[in-house]
Amino acid sequence: MSEASEFSAIETLRDGRRVEIRALRHEDRDGLEQAVSRASAESLRRRFFSVRRQFSEQELEFFSDIDFVSQVALVVVAQEGGGPHIVGAGRYIVLDPGRAEVAFALIDEYQGQGIGAALMRYLAMIARDAGLKEFIAEVLPENTAMLKVFKKSGLHPTTRREANIMHVTLQLF
């Protein structure tokens, strides 16, 4: 495990609410499932390219059992109803030496608040520290919010459209 497994930061959203962005823990599995149940069908489609509310045991293990070397995941935790609730997540998965795929998901009421930009910034910082040089992402062309996060990231994105997918490459150095 790396220092990334201990990552934590507090962010103030555009609307003044505060959230914690921290390393995912194995015990966050139920919180991730609850966040998926709260997301709209459109948000799920933009993240998974289909509306998925149910995942196999193997998929749940993959999403929640993070080694912080080959896969890094951060969760967004908000105080709601007197307790902490996961409202989003971002992760990268190393595909090849120096290169990882990055992805994000937020429940609808937290979108447009600057969380995507914060997740991008923190994941890029962790990736650089791990020696990664490049992020890639596959994005639906209509997911303009995610494409905007990539464009404003300062990571010099290049895009290539293939069928109904935008292939995005971001340079970390």
Side-chain angles (χ1 to χ4, degrees):
M1 292 249 192
S2 66
E3 290 179 21
S5 67
E6 302 297 321
F7 181 84
S8 177
I10 302 297
E11 288 285 323
T12 301
L13 306 182
R14 290 184 181 123
D15 66 6
R17 291 181 288 181
R18 292 169 56 87
V19 296
E20 179 185 18
I21 298 177
R22 64 162 172 78
L24 176 106
R25 303 175 190 136
H26 190 75
E27 60 268 20
D28 289 329
R29 180 176 159 159
D30 290 343
L32 289 173
E33 286 185 276
Q34 290 171 6
V36 167
S37 74
R38 292 177 61 188
S40 71
E42 182 60 22
S43 288
L44 292 173
R45 190 181 74 73
R46 285 192 310 254
R47 169 58 179 92
F48 299 108
F49 297 178
S50 67
V51 179
R52 299 212 41 211
R53 294 201 185 273
Q54 301 291 320
F55 296 92
S56 71
E57 183 63 29
Q58 185 178 8
E59 289 170 319
L60 290 170
E61 277 300 311
F62 176 78
F63 285 128
S64 62
D65 192 19
I66 307 300
D67 65 6
F68 289 93
V69 177
S70 63
Q71 187 174 177
V72 169
L74 303 177
V75 292
V76 182
V77 180
Q79 292 295 319
E80 296 180 333
H85 292 275
I86 293 174
V87 298
R91 70 181 59 229
Y92 70 75
I93 300 168
V94 177
L95 303 172
D96 304 305
R99 188 168 158 251
E101 183 174 16
V102 66
F104 304 91
L106 292 170
I107 66 169
D108 299 55
E109 66 192 83
Y110 287 86
Q111 294 175 14
Q113 296 295 315
I115 296 172
L119 284 167
M120 187 78 235
R121 188 172 61 250
Y122 294 133
L123 286 170
M125 177 189 71
I126 292 167
R128 282 186 197 104
D129 288 348
L132 295 176
K133 308 278 188 232
E134 182 178 270
F135 276 157
I136 64 161
E138 292 185 346
V139 183
L140 294 171
E142 64 269 22
N143 191 349
T144 55
M146 194 73 253
L147 292 169
K148 185 176 176 183
V149 166
F150 291 148
K151 185 176 181 179
K152 290 185 162 191
S153 69
L155 299 177
H156 311 289
T158 57
T159 59
R160 176 178 53 85
R161 187 174 180 145
E162 184 178 299
N164 293 321
I165 302 290
M166 298 293 290
H167 297 276
V168 181
T169 303
L170 302 139
Q171 301 304 314
L172 296 171
F173 285 95

